[in-house]
Amino acid sequence: STFAYEKHIPLIILGGGSNTVFADGIINAFVIRIKADQVSIFSVRPPHPIRTPPGEGKIVTVQSGKILASLINELAEQNLDLSPLTGIPGTVGGAIFGNAGQGPQGTWIGSYVEYIECFTDGKWRTYPKDECKFSYRESAFKKMLSPIIWSVAFSVPSKPTSDIKSAIERLIQKRIETQPHLKTAGSCFKGVDGIPAWKLIDNAGLRGKKLGDIQIAEKHANFLLNAGQGTFEDAKK
């Protein structure tokens, strides 16, 4: 990141790339993919002031390159429940950046956050939850210039492993039934005034519409599918 700042090269921080559509041709930028994925579980409070987790829950610190699905499954084995975030692709850092969750009325990753370690404006800072400004698919980090979300502290509630695994299986099955599992960059657009984006797209008569090789999915109208050799321009249109 210091190299990018000194050389005045645009800096792009990439998580898992699961919700990314790359521009056609050459991208004149310095792209960093964070791979650090260490997980630590605390029975007592780490150095920063935080609230006590519900029940026998724990404080879990996670580096931002950790794959979210892996984290959910690993914590389930420790009787720690992040199952409401099941099925969300990509890394913890990407999920934090966009406050990933299960729809406008669902559970969002920001609800578990205690604090975030982030590099921004040339220095390291600890952001407590209230400074992260989490809302529907939004966070304070979206308004910063190339922030590097390095680690997150979660307050994770406890639940028996068997109950967590049942919830995970239930949510995975629901996603299989309701969402396409083809070449896609995921659910694309935000809802408006509590109306899901897929419903607005469907009401506009766009379900199934195709431009070039990019198609609005028949199964779920908020997903763009690559039906062959789709390009960035196809997706943009």
Side-chain angles (χ1 to χ4, degrees):
S1 61
T2 303
F3 177 83
Y5 285 118
E6 289 176 350
K7 302 298 182 182
H8 304 289
I9 300 172
L11 178 65
I12 297 172
I13 308 300
L14 186 66
S18 51
N19 294 120
T20 307
V21 179
F22 288 94
D24 302 322
I26 296 171
I27 299 171
N28 291 307
F30 186 28
V31 181
I32 296 176
R33 182 179 179 190
I34 296 176
K35 300 279 283 184
D37 61 356
Q38 182 177 336
V39 178
S40 301
I41 299 174
F42 294 88
S43 297
V44 295
R45 298 183 178 190
H48 300 284
I50 52 178
R51 60 196 164 98
T52 305
E56 297 296 321
K58 300 279 173 62
I59 298 302
V60 180
T61 61
V62 186
Q63 290 181 323
S64 62
K66 182 71 176 180
I67 299 297
L68 181 58
S70 298
L71 177 67
I72 292 167
N73 289 327
E74 289 170 18
L75 292 184
E77 298 293 342
Q78 304 292 324
N79 298 315
L80 294 171
D81 185 19
L82 285 181
S83 63
L85 303 177
T86 295
I88 296 170
T91 63
V92 167
I96 290 292
F97 184 82
N99 194 21
Q102 301 282 8
Q105 309 306 319
T107 301
W108 298 84
I109 197 169
S111 64
Y112 297 98
V113 168
E114 289 298 332
Y115 61 83
I116 292 171
E117 302 285 357
C118 180
F119 184 82
T120 181
D121 294 328
K123 59 185 180 235
W124 288 98
R125 265 206 61 192
T126 298
Y127 289 85
K129 180 176 182 172
D130 60 351
E131 291 187 29
C132 297
K133 302 188 185 308
F134 291 116
S135 60
Y136 168 51
R137 291 198 180 182
E138 290 290 343
S139 75
F141 306 104
K142 279 192 170 186
K143 297 173 176 62
M144 298 176 187
L145 181 62
S146 301
I148 301 176
I149 298 169
W150 184 252
S151 68
V152 186
F154 294 114
S155 179
V156 185
S158 62
K159 191 179 283 187
T161 294
S162 58
D163 292 351
I164 299 171
K165 287 186 174 181
S166 294
I168 289 171
E169 290 172 9
R170 202 162 49 242
L171 282 166
I172 288 174
Q173 188 57 41
K174 181 180 177 182
R175 285 201 166 222
I176 290 171
E177 292 170 355
T178 61
Q179 297 181 3
H181 291 269
L182 302 167
K183 289 195 290 185
T184 174
S187 189
C188 296
F189 301 104
K190 291 173 62 176
V192 179
D193 297 328
I195 305 172
W198 70 264
K199 194 166 189 177
L200 296 171
I201 295 166
D202 199 26
N203 289 347
L206 294 171
R207 182 185 292 267
K209 183 173 179 60
K210 190 176 179 184
L211 285 172
D213 267 348
I214 298 293
Q215 180 180 15
I216 297 173
E218 293 276 3
K219 194 171 187 179
H220 191 312
N222 201 20
F223 281 71
L224 297 183
L225 304 180
N226 188 342
Q229 300 297 317
T231 66
F232 178 85
E233 282 302 316
D234 292 339
K236 186 177 174 182
K237 287 175 185 175

